[in-house]
Amino acid sequence: MWITKKRPTICFERYANDVIVHCHTQREAKEVLLQITDRMSQCELELHPLKTKIVYCKDFKRKEPYEQVQFDFLGFSFQPRPTKDYRTGIIQNQFDLSISRASQKKIIEEINRFRFHRWSTGTIEEIADTLNSKLQGWINYYGKFRKWTFLNLFRRLSFRLMQWAQNKYKIKGIKESYRWITNYQKEHPNLFAHWQFGFKQ
């Protein structure tokens, strides 16, 4: 409400205590940041010293050299990325978003936490039942933008499945376990949520 009253022409997004404020120039951004800092002080609060920064939304049109050209928000990383224009086929830098590295790390840690590669008495269907709700949630949320970035995450999952196959069926060698999982995916393409979306071994 304070921003709306003081700077009615400025757009912003807020989620909990994270806020993105859009400005047209660096000068305006510095003025607004100073005003917000003063306002926080009046409320006996302070801005996060590491998260608070002025970011230049650099792309193929905005090419000035600025130190900060990236920020994270709600699990996504916003930064310049090579993007193909589907109308012209030309690849140019766009200020675009994708799942952040911090979010990828959390997902990998979550996958590792299950340690299903050691379930020698469990079945692959039980593994799918355990993981699918989380896989579906991650795909629904992060997969809206640059879904291919999930490939690295699902490669980690595939490696865990290969380890499981080796332990379960006493398969020797990564190539053999890879072949086993690949064949199983062909026979049961809808078993895992990410298989349903076309992510292959």
Side-chain angles (χ1 to χ4, degrees):
M1 291 300 296
W2 176 85
I3 294 178
T4 303
K5 290 178 181 179
K6 291 292 184 180
R7 308 294 298 229
T9 61
I10 285 181
C11 297
F12 68 94
E13 292 83 33
R14 182 183 71 86
Y15 182 83
N17 62 344
D18 288 333
V19 183
I20 299 174
V21 181
H22 302 274
C23 300
H24 292 93
T25 65
Q26 186 181 35
R27 179 179 178 180
E28 183 183 43
K30 289 181 177 179
E31 291 175 355
V32 172
L33 178 56
L34 183 59
Q35 289 178 330
I36 293 175
T37 302
D38 291 340
R39 176 59 178 167
M40 291 294 100
S41 295
Q42 293 171 15
C43 298
E44 298 183 352
L45 298 170
E46 60 182 38
L47 299 175
H48 194 290
L50 298 180
K51 284 187 176 181
T52 305
K53 55 186 177 180
I54 295 176
V55 177
Y56 180 59
C57 300
K58 189 173 184 178
D59 59 17
F60 72 97
K61 293 181 180 179
R62 297 181 288 253
K63 301 179 180 180
E64 287 81 0
Y66 280 82
E67 182 179 356
Q68 293 288 351
V69 294
Q70 182 271 339
F71 68 91
D72 289 355
F73 186 63
L74 301 182
F76 291 95
S77 176
F78 295 74
Q79 64 189 70
R81 301 175 190 275
T83 304
K84 185 176 182 179
D85 188 319
Y86 291 101
R87 294 170 298 178
T88 63
I90 298 175
I91 297 177
Q92 296 175 309
N93 262 355
Q94 297 283 359
F95 198 78
D96 205 354
L97 73 160
S98 179
I99 180 173
S100 68
R101 289 185 178 179
S103 297
Q104 292 184 55
K105 183 179 178 181
K106 288 181 181 179
I107 291 175
I108 290 174
E109 289 174 350
E110 186 76 4
I111 291 173
N112 291 341
R113 185 177 66 82
F114 286 105
R115 301 180 66 81
F116 59 82
H117 60 294
R118 297 187 180 276
W119 295 1
S120 57
T121 59
T123 65
I124 194 170
E125 287 78 15
E126 290 174 335
I127 295 174
D129 287 341
T130 300
L131 294 178
N132 270 344
S133 61
K134 288 188 174 293
L135 293 174
Q136 189 68 60
W138 293 329
I139 292 171
N140 289 347
Y141 185 72
Y142 295 109
K144 294 182 183 296
F145 308 97
R146 295 178 176 259
K147 191 178 294 184
W148 58 268
T149 56
F150 274 98
L151 286 176
N152 286 334
L153 299 178
F154 293 143
R155 285 195 186 102
R156 178 63 62 92
L157 176 56
S158 296
F159 181 72
R160 286 298 195 189
L161 287 174
M162 287 188 287
Q163 287 182 312
W164 169 83
Q166 285 180 295
N167 293 331
K168 174 76 172 179
Y169 300 107
K170 309 303 179 186
I171 298 174
K172 295 183 179 179
I174 292 294
K175 289 185 178 180
E176 290 299 318
S177 61
Y178 175 83
R179 188 177 294 113
W180 189 95
I181 294 294
T182 300
N183 291 336
Y184 202 90
Q185 181 180 12
K186 290 178 181 178
E187 296 173 2
H188 306 85
N190 296 319
L191 181 61
F192 286 92
H194 65 299
W195 289 1
Q196 298 174 26
F197 279 80
F199 293 101
K200 298 181 179 180
Q201 281 297 111

